[in-house]
Amino acid sequence: MTVPVALVTGASGFVGRYLCERLQRDGMFVRGLFRSSAAGPWDECVLADLADGVPDDALAGVTHVFHLAGRAHAMALPNAAAAHTRATVVATERLLEACAAGCPQSLVYLSSTKAVADPGARVADERWTAAPGDAYGVAKRRAEDHVFAFGVRHRIPVAVLRPPMVLGAGVKGNAARLLDRAMCGRSIPLPEFGNPRSMVHVLDLVAALIRVSELREPRQRCYFVAHPEPFTTRELIDHMRAVGGFPSREPVLPGWMWGLAAGCAEALARVGGATLRERMPLDWERFQRLREPAQFDASLLEAETGFVAARGWREAIADMVQARSTTGSGRPTRCDGR
């Protein structure tokens, strides 16, 4: 019996490592593709910058392609539109050109809910197609279009997953910053904005990626993937503090003060440039992400594949805390669970 071969782009990233370990455990031969050498749960690695092209042998024998590579959601970058276009759109075009020669059995692209506009107070499902609001989202949406066109042209199953915030051991970004402050007992005086937000545990996201890769009909599908229970930012902080052994409730500053501080920080960052912005704990974009709702309905994924995310935000925080206490860095020492 021939062992299936999976190519995972962005294999050394947060989600990529979990996916590669799960694929190996499921008996697949895993070929990771990333830009710089790294040890991890893959049988073979290919070093390449996708935007520069894909090595000739990268797709040899590949049956399943999982395209996870891309630039992180960091809109403060100089020339953000050009950077995201290269890392997301051009890289996807080069990968699809390489796939055309071998035509794998399935292609799965990890996109983002940012490929559409923020839904505001509504709970968005796949019928919500409003244009994205930043360079990151625009690039993701363009890459999705290329992936769908490839599936139609070559008549292979194509699936695009749009996750919201991804949580779990090893995560970085705002969630990791909040956890570090909470676990050290430092104050996070953010008020309750009443902003329900969706999330998905990294292990559930990996399971969903594999589930949609098993689709066999030559169709193109786009799915939101999220746990059904939302949280607010204040709920997240309170739970982090409680897990850390600190009072869950603390004095808070009103929203207008946070808005004023974020506006001032944004003005300074524009003068000081990307280096100063990266060092700042707050800017306008981070403030908006902390206060705005972003809720998504994943019922189409359940209806068409039977998949339902099982791990909620409290379990994700518990995993993050355990990893932090074990390694001191918040990175997982092992990936378990399905």
Side-chain angles (χ1 to χ4, degrees), residues 5-7 31 33 44 46 48 50 54-62 95 98:
V5 179
L7 175 70
R31 182 177 297 150
L33 190 152
E44 188 175 279
V46 177
L50 278 178
V54 181
D56 293 338
D57 58 349
L59 272 294
V62 168
L95 176 64

Side-chain angles (χ1 to χ4, degrees), residues 27-222:
M28 297 188 75
F29 182 92
V30 178
R31 182 177 297 150
L33 190 152
F34 33 82
R35 287 183 296 178
S36 56
S37 182
W42 33 78
D43 300 290
E44 188 175 279
C45 66
V46 177
L47 300 183
D49 183 335
L50 278 178
D52 292 331
V54 181
D56 293 338
D57 58 349
L59 272 294
V62 168
T63 55
H64 298 74
V65 174
F66 296 89
H67 181 28
L68 279 57
R71 185 177 287 276
H73 185 200
M75 299 319 305
L77 294 166
N79 303 314
H84 285 298
T85 296
R86 172 180 166 78
T88 300
V89 183
V90 176
T92 299
E93 291 174 339
R94 299 293 174 266
L95 176 64
L96 295 176
E97 290 169 1
C99 287
C103 278
Q105 295 175 13
S106 70
L107 171 64
V108 180
Y109 176 48
L110 182 61
S111 184
S112 167
T113 55
K114 289 295 183 180
V116 291
D118 290 337
R122 66 177 57 80
V123 179
D125 61 17
E126 289 75 8
R127 292 171 293 183
W128 175 248
T129 59
D134 57 32
Y136 172 83
V138 168
K140 285 291 189 182
R141 186 73 164 266
R142 289 178 60 192
E144 290 180 0
D145 291 341
H146 287 305
V147 169
F148 290 135
F150 177 86
V152 172
R153 187 162 59 249
H154 295 280
R155 293 189 57 78
I156 67 169
V158 162
V160 169
L161 286 187
R162 290 174 175 170
M165 178 185 288
V166 182
L167 297 177
V171 71
K172 297 180 180 180
N174 275 348
R177 294 187 190 97
L178 291 175
L179 181 66
D180 284 343
R181 291 190 66 88
M183 294 299 289
C184 292
R186 289 182 286 179
S187 176
I188 312 175
L190 201 73
E192 175 58 82
F193 288 113
N195 59 327
R197 300 184 64 86
S198 294
M199 57 73 63
V200 63
H201 194 294
V202 63
L203 293 177
D204 282 332
L205 178 55
V206 163
L209 286 163
I210 293 173
R211 179 69 62 87
V212 297
S213 77
E214 297 167 348
L215 297 174
R216 288 293 171 259
E217 297 178 23
R219 59 182 179 175
Q220 290 70 50
R221 287 290 188 269
C222 181

Side-chain angles (χ1 to χ4, degrees), residues 14 29 108 166 180 184 230 246 250 253 262 269 275 322 330:
F14 171 52
F29 182 92
V108 180
V166 182
D180 284 343
C184 292
F246 300 98
E250 59 179 341
L253 298 176
T275 301
Q322 182 179 13

